[in-house]
Amino acid sequence: MLAQKLHLLRHNVLSFVSSRTGSDLTRRQYDVIVVGGGHAGTEAAAAAARLGAETLLITQKIMTIGALSCNPSLGGVGKGQLVREVDALDGLCGRAGDSAGVHFSILNRSKGPAVWGPRAQLDRERYRQFIQSELLSTPRLTVLEGSVDELLVSQPNPEEPGHHRVTGIRLVDGSHPILSSSVVLTTGTFLSGSLFMGQTTSPGGRMGDAQSCAGLSYTLKETLGLRVGRLRTGTPPRIVKESVDLSLAQLQAPDKQPTPFSFLNTHTRCKPEEQLPCYLTHTTPGVERVVRESVHLNCHIQQDTKGPRYCPSIESRVLRFPGRRHQVWLEPEGLTSDLLYPQGLSMTMPPDLQLRLLREIPALHRAEIRAPGYGVQYDFVCPTQLTPSLQVKSTQGLFLAGQINGTTGYEEAAAQGLWAGVNAGRTALSLPPIALSRTQSYIGVLIDDLVGRGVTEPYRMFTSRAEFRTYLRPDNADLRLTPRGFEEVGCVTLRRYKKAVSVRDGLQEALMALQSVALSSTRWREKLGNISLSENKSTTLNGLDLLQYKDVSFEMLASAFPECLSQYFEYSQRLKIEAVYRPHCEKQSREMERIRSEESLSLPSDMDYLSLPVSLSHEVREILDRVRPNTLGAATRLPGMTPAGIIHLLNYVLRTGQRNRHTEHRNRSSQKEGGKGQLCASNIPISQ
């Protein structure tokens, strides 16, 4: 059914585009124009349209909308949290992952649920079909094939900040301008992109697609005066599955029961028994030998352009960590695909040497390459030039999202695209821009890191980047974001909002029911049997308290008290996670309240931030030392300043202030007694 629906929609859209002349199309004034049909562009266009903005998505090829340019997977540690937050705000990628997934797993399961990483291997064709089906049937969204040559720029609105104002775009074919109130650029690797393979270089952002236009880069750099840098990435060769000896690799089975990304779904399209396995193998000394012998033939790896630290090419890994054994994951590309994706073997050497390298790995000793790997270099705009709404500070109506902001990964691009689309739509509809705090979401962490700190290499999300990760969990993204997305932002449908409210109310009732069941430790042991509850504990514990214990499950409590708890079985896992993290979340809430109540606290003007004996990152120390804020409130508003850094700074100032006051009191007492025993406050050691 999906394939038939997609075929019909494609036919209608292609007929629509081809049947209208350029002049017919450009007579229309759009609210938002989105340039690029990748993960950032599709989320941006859909979000703007959901908001109520008349939106135009311009892409080089309609048929490649939603294409997985590199790895056929979605989610992971940190990345899975982004996918769930995008879904909570009614984005596309979570539902697309549920439709296209062929291997589902929860990474980091041995650790706490706050850092679990939902992940799925995807069927490339199914993912592309789902995204295209959704976009081509979205109200208020028009899709146009074409390449953008330049932005239309005019004088700014004097009542708003900025030196320029974007009023639309001009296509390469020289047709009339297409006007709009907002433009979102999601150019990915196509902004002055160059492809590298061995010593061969050609213009382009992805193999097989048309090259990007130099005019757009010129507009950004010369007309708008934006600081632009250069980054690189790469992709591995695609291997014919039948040529691989999988018996020499370690099988990695999926989870027995797939966990959907989307809060709207209770199951995935792929049935548990239909899932495909992945395989793990490793590099050998022969791989390192081929890399070293081919360095002089690899111009991409010899250049200084920064590549992704956390997903480097095999050449970079071998040269940086000689003598090591590196993991290589052999991943399926789809249910009917005859190819394998060798995760960990991104390479840019000549094709004949790529084949030679692959065959140095036992499982790949007879491997055949369907498509060789290659490298890409592209321009990006330094993201510190953006506001938290992802609008360019100097240019009214211009928003950027995805790799153009210096990030890497589908999930990071989708998150930025959604938020840029939201704010582009709000700007076009004369609504104020809106921001997400890093205390509210991983999307907020991502954007705050970009606009506050910038990038020196492609940025990737990790759970360690979020100070409040015990609250920003994948299980509660709907409770954190969906109500706000409907009530304040405007990007969430009524259907999703009602479901989130129903879940929220049900969880609240279940928590109250748990708290209503209170027994002594002795009575709990009698009810539940052998649980690790101290016999010396004489206090009364309620059901929520007890659920914090590792060996106590909601099912156990519901079996003991079926009359008041059995109706909440559907929330069992969420209730367990909520109980475990509630003390941590309450502590973090108190800390944030302390920050708000102490905003007027004065910070010493002579404080040596670079050597303070507290836990502050090097970046935060440099920010504080450079700006030297007068108050704690001023420090909280510094770009790049983290909530954790503020807490440590607050604790330090309060602690040392109390010590100084105590010392002054003691000094005055000593002076009254004859001035003996005076001690300078600056010499008092400060405990950490």
Side-chain angles (χ1 to χ4, degrees):
M1 284 297 293
L2 179 62
Q4 293 175 348
K5 178 183 176 185
L6 179 63
H7 176 76
L8 179 62
L9 287 167
R10 261 190 208 142
H11 174 75
N12 290 342
V13 172
L14 289 171
S15 299
F16 162 76
V17 172
S18 61
S19 66
R20 297 182 66 180
T21 65
S23 59
D24 288 335
L25 180 66
T26 54
R27 287 198 187 112
R28 185 162 183 190
Q29 167 82 38
Y30 288 91
D31 294 320
V32 176
I33 293 176
V34 178
V35 181
H39 289 77
T42 53
E43 294 290 356
R50 287 198 307 276
L51 213 73
E54 290 293 334
T55 305
L56 174 66
L57 172 63
I58 303 176
T59 181
Q60 289 187 346
K61 294 180 183 178
I62 290 177
M63 300 298 289
T64 61
I65 289 176
L68 299 166
S69 301
C70 195
N71 55 306
S73 63
L74 187 72
V77 179
K79 291 172 172 283
Q81 279 83 341
L82 286 174
V83 175
R84 292 217 115 195
E85 290 185 355
V86 169
D87 179 73
L89 291 167
D90 236 347
L92 307 176
C93 64
R95 288 180 290 124
D98 291 344
S99 177
V102 296
H103 175 117
F104 290 84
S105 59
I106 301 293
L107 305 185
N108 248 10
R109 198 184 281 274
S110 62
K111 298 183 179 179
V115 294
W116 285 356
R119 186 181 187 275
Q121 291 297 135
L122 304 175
D123 183 305
R124 291 185 185 275
E125 185 60 22
R126 281 188 173 185
Y127 191 90
R128 187 169 62 88
Q129 286 179 354
F130 185 93
I131 294 294
Q132 290 183 19
S133 175
E134 286 291 312
L135 282 183
L136 301 182
S137 59
T138 297
R140 294 179 295 276
L141 176 58
T142 302
V143 181
L144 172 69
E145 280 190 352
S147 293
V148 174
D149 185 45
E150 64 174 329
L151 298 173
L152 303 179
V153 181
S154 69
Q155 292 298 313
N157 180 345
E159 297 180 357
E160 299 176 3
H163 306 301
H164 312 277
R165 181 166 65 94
V166 166
T167 58
I169 58 94
R170 190 186 302 277
L171 297 174
V172 172
D173 60 13
S175 59
H176 293 293
I178 304 179
L179 305 180
S180 69
S181 301
S182 301
V183 173
V184 185
L185 294 184
T186 66
T187 50
T189 58
F190 284 86
L191 193 63
S192 294
S194 299
L195 304 177
F196 292 80
M197 190 187 302
Q199 294 180 302
T200 303
T201 304
S202 60
R206 180 171 58 201
M207 195 69 73
D209 285 345
Q211 67 187 66
S212 55
C213 301
L216 197 53
S217 289
Y218 181 88
T219 302
L220 295 175
K221 288 187 281 190
E222 303 301 328
T223 304
L224 302 182
L226 297 178
R227 298 191 309 279
V228 174
R230 196 84 171 152
L231 293 173
R232 73 181 182 196
T233 187
T235 191
R238 308 306 194 264
I239 303 172
V240 178
K241 185 176 181 179
E242 289 184 353
S243 69
V244 178
D245 188 349
L246 295 175
S247 67
L248 299 178
Q250 180 183 344
L251 185 144
Q252 300 289 319
D255 290 349
K256 291 181 179 179
Q257 187 61 46
T259 301
F261 286 110
S262 178
F263 291 99
L264 293 181
N265 293 332
T266 57
H267 60 275
T268 60
R269 179 181 176 185
C270 184
K271 298 177 181 178
E273 64 274 13
E274 295 174 342
Q275 294 187 93
L276 302 177
C278 294
Y279 295 86
L280 175 64
T281 185
H282 296 83
T283 60
T284 64
V287 169
E288 183 168 339
R289 183 172 61 253
V290 174
V291 169
R292 294 191 177 280
E293 291 175 357
S294 64
V295 168
H296 66 290
L297 299 175
N298 195 334
C299 61
H300 184 67
I301 204 68
Q302 294 177 30
Q303 298 186 10
D304 294 331
T305 307
K306 284 285 188 178
R309 181 194 305 184
Y310 305 105
C311 187
S313 66
I314 187 60
E315 296 101 327
S316 297
R317 287 199 287 171
V318 163
L319 296 175
R320 186 177 178 186
F321 304 108
R324 291 193 183 180
R325 189 166 169 253
H326 301 284
Q327 288 186 340
V328 177
W329 292 93
L330 303 177
E331 302 173 342
E333 296 218 340
L335 290 172
T336 60
S337 173
D338 63 345
L339 299 179
L340 289 176
Y341 180 92
Q343 180 76 264
L345 286 182
S346 172
M347 60 182 79
T348 57
M349 60 184 65
D352 59 323
L353 291 173
Q354 293 188 29
L355 182 62
R356 181 181 155 199
L357 183 149
L358 290 176
R359 291 183 173 180
E360 292 291 341
I361 299 173
L364 306 179
H365 67 284
R366 294 179 181 173
E368 295 294 337
I369 294 177
R370 176 70 55 81
Y374 60 92
V376 187
Q377 292 188 15
Y378 55 96
D379 283 350
F380 79 100
V381 174
C382 301
T384 53
Q385 300 167 103
L386 308 179
T387 68
S389 67
L390 294 179
Q391 180 175 250
V392 176
K393 293 176 182 176
S394 64
T395 307
Q396 298 167 5
L398 178 60
F399 298 80
L400 310 182
Q403 285 179 285
I404 192 174
N405 290 339
T407 62
T408 180
Y410 305 147
E411 303 83 2
E412 291 85 350
Q416 294 171 73
L418 183 144
W419 206 242
V422 160
N423 279 295
R426 290 178 65 87
T427 296
L429 299 174
S430 300
L431 297 171
I434 196 165
L436 281 172
S437 165
R438 64 187 300 128
T439 64
Q440 297 171 319
S441 65
Y442 274 87
I443 300 176
V445 172
L446 166 66
I447 294 174
D448 187 60
D449 282 349
L450 292 177
V451 305
R453 303 177 185 179
V455 298
T456 56
E457 61 188 11
Y459 178 102
R460 176 179 175 174
M461 177 53 68
F462 292 103
T463 54
S464 59
R465 296 189 189 274
E467 299 87 356
F468 296 93
R469 53 188 169 273
T470 57
Y471 173 61
L472 308 181
R473 305 188 306 270
D475 68 281
N476 67 2
D478 56 340
L479 304 184
R480 289 186 281 113
L481 297 176
T482 300
R484 188 183 179 201
F486 179 83
E487 297 166 359
E488 183 181 352
V489 181
C491 64
V492 169
T493 58
L494 180 61
R495 174 196 172 204
R496 183 182 290 271
Y497 174 69
K498 286 183 175 180
K499 181 175 177 62
V501 169
S502 174
V503 170
R504 181 188 65 192
D505 293 346
L507 282 170
Q508 191 60 43
E509 290 175 10
L511 291 170
M512 292 175 64
L514 283 167
Q515 290 173 317
S516 70
V517 180
L519 299 174
S520 67
S521 300
T522 302
R523 291 284 291 129
W524 276 120
R525 282 192 296 273
E526 292 174 357
K527 280 277 188 182
L528 303 180
N530 188 26
I531 59 173
S532 56
L533 194 61
S534 173
E535 295 184 7
N536 298 325
K537 216 172 183 65
S538 58
T539 57
T540 299
L541 299 175
N542 63 43
L544 190 58
D545 296 327
L546 210 68
L547 203 52
Q548 295 174 20
Y549 287 80
K550 187 176 182 179
D551 56 349
V552 177
S553 67
F554 179 79
E555 287 79 4
M556 293 170 61
L557 298 178
S559 297
F561 297 95
E563 66 283 354
C564 61
L565 297 179
S566 60
Q567 59 183 308
Y568 303 114
F569 267 117
E570 63 179 302
Y571 305 123
S572 58
Q573 185 183 58
R574 296 185 71 155
L575 289 167
K576 175 68 176 179
I577 296 173
E578 184 69 28
V580 169
Y581 285 109
R582 174 163 283 208
H584 303 278
C585 295
E586 289 176 347
K587 178 183 177 183
Q588 289 180 342
S589 296
R590 290 193 297 270
E591 288 177 342
M592 295 308 298
E593 184 56 39
R594 284 182 62 210
I595 291 176
R596 284 189 286 269
S597 64
E598 296 282 0
E599 277 202 336
S600 60
L601 179 70
S602 295
L603 301 178
S605 59
D606 59 347
M607 188 178 292
D608 185 359
Y609 292 106
L610 298 180
S611 61
L612 282 186
V614 292
S615 178
L616 295 174
S617 69
H618 181 67
E619 293 84 357
V620 167
R621 291 177 186 273
E622 286 188 336
I623 292 168
L624 291 169
D625 185 66
R626 182 176 66 253
V627 180
R628 309 202 71 80
N630 295 324
T631 65
L632 188 73
T636 64
R637 291 182 283 275
L638 294 178
M641 195 67 193
T642 65
I646 292 294
I647 286 293
H648 292 311
L649 183 61
L650 170 61
N651 290 337
Y652 174 81
V653 172
L654 291 178
R655 186 174 67 242
T656 55
Q658 290 171 352
R659 285 174 175 254
N660 288 340
R661 284 193 294 272
H662 175 70
T663 302
E664 290 172 3
H665 174 75
R666 187 171 61 185
N667 287 345
R668 284 194 295 270
S669 300
S670 298
Q671 289 172 351
K672 291 179 180 179
E673 295 173 3
K676 297 180 180 180
Q678 294 184 16
L679 181 64
C680 177
S682 61
N683 293 329
I684 299 177
I686 298 173
S687 61
Q688 298 187 26

